[in-house]
Amino acid sequence: MSERPSKRKPKPRALDLVALARELAALPPARLTPRKSSKRDLIEQLRGPLVDALVDRHYSFAALAEVLGQRGIDIHPTTLRHYLGPIDRSARRTVSGG
């Protein structure tokens, strides 16, 4: 019988945490370049009014996506829902209703 080559990954070499910490501490500040706002950034900036429209005025994600599209932010309703994340409609009504 011949031995097969091992399919296991080689063990990582020992890590010198002290040396790594020193190296990370010595890194110069990164040069930041301004970036264009992504759709996710824009939706996050509009989160309050979007959630208000969804919860208080009962707009659908599709209707809000259409409004955003008319203003130059082309987004699918499912993507809008994903970007906004979970929305607790019941807790929101309690706070605004009382």
Side-chain angles (χ1 to χ4, degrees):
M1 248 197 230
S2 64
E3 288 190 35
R4 293 183 188 172
S6 175
K7 292 185 179 181
R8 290 185 178 174
K9 293 181 182 177
K11 289 184 179 180
R13 26 175 242 202
L15 185 60
D16 184 352
L17 291 177
V18 174
L20 179 57
R22 249 183 274 139
E23 184 179 339
L24 291 171
L27 288 174
R31 210 173 78 191
L32 299 177
T33 56
R35 65 180 176 102
K36 184 179 171 187
S37 291
S38 67
K39 282 184 190 177
R40 183 181 286 268
D41 293 335
L42 296 173
I43 297 305
E44 186 57 38
Q45 290 175 27
L46 295 169
R47 181 176 175 72
L50 287 167
V51 171
D52 288 345
L54 284 164
V55 176
D56 299 337
R57 293 186 297 286
H58 310 287
Y59 276 81
S60 67
F61 286 99
L64 292 176
E66 187 175 326
V67 170
L68 292 169
Q70 292 169 359
R71 298 287 189 236
I73 303 173
D74 292 323
I75 190 165
H76 191 275
T78 305
T79 305
L80 178 60
R81 176 182 291 173
H82 176 74
Y83 285 178
L84 289 175
I87 297 171
D88 188 357
R89 295 171 187 257
S90 61
R92 183 77 185 219
R93 283 195 193 114
T94 304
V95 171
S96 63

